[in-house]
Amino acid sequence: MDTIFALASAPGKAGVAVIRVSGPLAWEAGVRLAGSLPEPRRTAVRVLRDRQGGALDEALVLAFPEGASFTGERVVEFQIHGSQAILRAVLRELDAVDGLRIAEPGEFTRRALENDRLDLTQVEALADLIEAETESQRVQALRVFSGALGQKVDGWRRDLIQAASLLEVTIDFADEEVPVDVSDDVSGFLDRVSSALEAELRGLDAAERIRSGFEVAIVGAPNVGKSSLLNALAGRDAAITSEIAGTTRDVIEVRMEIAGLPVTLLDTAGLRETQDPVEKIGIARALDRARSSDLRVILVDERGLPEITPVAGDIVVGSKADVTGDANGLSTVTGQGVDRLVREIGERLSERVQSAGLATRERHRVAFEKGKTSLGSAKDLLRRGPDCYDLAAEEIRSAIRSLELLIGRVDVENLLDEIFSSFCLGK
């Protein structure tokens, strides 16, 4: 096993930079640069020196023994001053140590998985935690990173192993003094796990939205104030505003946080009958994005509803209240109603994430659905009696394999390559 090293903090000039070394030669490399290491899991200040004995920097040094580090291997971390010159010098000295090499993207985390420090759902959650931009994303990623989903899967897996064992002991020892009719006990295990999988599947869409974000489309007739509203919500001139109808030809996107949730606001082309072929394309795109969005804000003025029919859940609000005098409308000129609209958007979206589960990815959905299908087949076979117990047991084992794939306990090399390719060098 190679010993690897890399910058573990963000690149660029900073007050402090962290260099991590992991592997069997980590402590030897630490001693070579620092002279000596502090007691494991304690910090100490050391002067780092090059091969000629020249001082590189004064650093805070930590050492972790095997089994007590992030990767599960021997680890040394150097907290150095964040100068690019110091960073390059320390990395150069580490590269000169025999047996050490620069880490590949995600290699520290991959070793944590291989050494059973993390399961695969925690690895994915760590990537989500690093990428989190909103409070809801942080909270959700931290829940999964804590191991909550993996613990659930382990519990389901134990129940299914127990169910399969009951069937197999009945098959193998049919002539011995063992329970012949275990169908009620097995059904109890299968029903409990099936119900849990269904609950996670119901909450997956909401959890996935927290992770990837909601889309809120602002739609309405030309010159109703869509672009002005987008600019007011974004706090900047994200869209061009003009008195000329049809100014917005394409969908303009602005990403922001509302009620702690990631939201992409969509400013769409004005909806109207037109002979302009370019504007027609813009209107078609506007309608497509509006139909697929999670929420639509429909702006209306004295012309009434635009060329779109409101559905349940749409927010219909009057615009240009500074002109119309509508107390319940909004005005981007005076700011009237804008905060109220933001609160309403936040409330509508927050309602949708109340049922969010721990599963957040399409991969999770596939594993749960495969497991649920296998358990459904197992229950059907169980009802046919002891002659089908061997087939029922195989369906249960298939469900177990689906859950093991979810947490990375079976061969998932291609999947791992895809997941870890998204990590930065120091993770």
Side-chain angles (χ1 to χ4, degrees):
M1 175 71 72
D2 292 340
T3 299
I4 57 175
F5 66 92
L7 175 68
S9 53
K13 187 185 297 184
V16 175
V18 179
I19 296 175
R20 176 182 291 160
V21 187
S22 179
L25 299 179
W27 285 14
E28 287 84 346
V31 170
R32 176 165 174 173
L33 265 71
S36 64
L37 296 178
E39 291 295 317
R41 305 181 73 171
R42 295 182 179 273
T43 60
V45 175
R46 296 285 190 271
V47 175
L48 305 186
R49 298 185 181 278
D50 61 22
R51 283 157 288 179
Q52 288 73 42
L56 297 171
D57 190 27
E58 191 173 66
L60 194 66
V61 180
L62 301 89
F64 298 91
E66 186 175 347
S69 68
F70 172 73
T71 61
E73 304 171 334
R74 283 190 170 190
V75 167
V76 170
E77 289 188 358
F78 303 107
Q79 296 184 11
I80 62 175
H81 294 97
S83 154
Q84 292 298 292
I86 295 173
L87 177 62
R88 285 193 298 270
V90 174
L91 292 177
R92 187 166 56 244
E93 287 303 312
L94 288 172
D95 193 45
V97 178
D98 289 339
L100 268 65
R101 65 170 174 82
I102 192 75
E104 298 175 358
E107 191 169 3
F108 288 103
T109 307
R110 186 161 187 158
R111 291 192 177 194
L113 175 69
E114 292 169 347
N115 294 323
D116 293 326
R117 300 292 291 176
L118 300 174
D119 65 39
L120 194 52
T121 62
Q122 289 175 293
V123 169
E124 292 169 322
L126 177 58
D128 290 341
L129 192 59
I130 293 170
E131 296 294 327
E133 297 178 339
T134 68
E135 180 65 9
S136 60
Q137 289 174 325
R138 181 192 68 80
V139 171
Q140 177 174 270
L142 200 56
R143 285 175 64 206
V144 182
F145 183 62
S146 70
L149 181 55
Q151 290 165 14
K152 276 190 174 185
V153 171
D154 270 336
W156 302 333
R157 181 174 172 273
R158 285 193 298 269
D159 282 349
L160 294 181
I161 289 174
Q162 183 74 15
S165 299
L166 286 172
L167 291 178
E168 287 164 354
V169 76
T170 303
I171 297 166
D172 294 341
F173 301 97
D175 298 329
E176 306 291 336
E177 293 183 2
V178 294
V180 175
D181 186 5
V182 296
S183 58
D184 288 344
D185 292 334
V186 174
S187 290
F189 285 121
L190 301 188
D191 288 341
R192 183 159 60 246
V193 176
S194 292
S195 296
L197 293 180
E198 287 174 2
E200 282 298 325
L201 283 168
R202 285 194 300 271
L204 197 145
D205 284 338
E208 199 170 24
R209 275 290 176 264
I210 293 175
R211 177 175 169 267
S212 61
F214 290 91
E215 283 194 351
V216 176
I218 304 172
V219 297
N223 286 340
V224 76
K226 299 183 301 300
S227 297
S228 296
L229 176 58
L230 179 77
N231 292 341
L233 295 174
R236 60 185 177 87
D237 290 336
I240 299 172
T241 60
S242 168
E243 296 297 326
I244 302 173
T247 299
T248 302
R249 298 295 183 96
D250 207 347
V251 178
I252 298 172
E253 303 183 7
V254 172
R255 193 170 176 85
M256 61 184 298
E257 181 176 345
I258 296 178
L261 298 168
V263 175
T264 299
L265 295 173
L266 309 176
D267 177 23
T268 60
L271 305 181
R272 65 169 181 172
E273 293 292 335
T274 180
Q275 299 304 312
D276 185 331
V278 177
E279 190 177 356
K280 278 185 176 181
I281 295 173
I283 291 172
R285 289 182 180 179
L287 289 170
D288 286 343
R289 292 298 293 272
R291 292 188 187 103
S292 65
S293 63
D294 300 289
L295 180 64
R296 298 188 300 186
V297 176
I298 302 177
L299 295 185
V300 297
D301 56 14
E302 68 280 356
R303 291 170 288 181
L305 285 169
E307 300 292 321
I308 192 168
T309 302
V311 297
D314 286 347
I315 299 175
V316 181
V317 61
S319 67
K320 302 180 181 179
D322 54 305
V323 176
T324 64
D326 181 2
N328 295 317
L330 65 82
S331 168
T332 57
V333 175
T334 65
Q336 174 189 322
V338 174
D339 289 343
R340 183 171 63 243
L341 176 61
V342 171
R343 284 195 301 272
E344 187 170 0
I345 292 173
E347 289 168 1
R348 297 282 185 93
L349 298 181
S350 295
E351 289 173 2
R352 300 189 186 187
V353 300
Q354 294 302 313
S355 61
L358 292 169
T360 58
R361 295 170 182 256
E362 184 61 24
R363 186 181 75 84
H364 303 169
R365 185 196 304 277
V366 171
F368 287 153
E369 287 180 344
K370 283 184 177 179
K372 184 169 169 287
T373 299
S374 296
L375 294 183
S377 299
K379 286 189 280 189
D380 289 340
L381 291 165
L382 192 64
R383 284 190 286 268
R384 298 182 189 180
D387 289 344
C388 293
Y389 280 3
D390 55 341
L391 297 176
E394 181 56 35
E395 290 293 345
I396 294 172
R397 285 192 290 270
S398 178
I400 293 171
R401 286 193 292 272
S402 294
L403 296 178
E404 288 177 335
L405 178 63
L406 182 68
I407 57 177
R409 288 191 176 171
V410 293
D411 186 19
V412 287
E413 283 302 311
N414 292 336
L415 178 63
L416 294 181
D417 289 341
E418 180 179 343
I419 290 172
F420 288 115
S421 66
S422 67
F423 276 75
C424 60
L425 193 64
K427 292 304 292 183

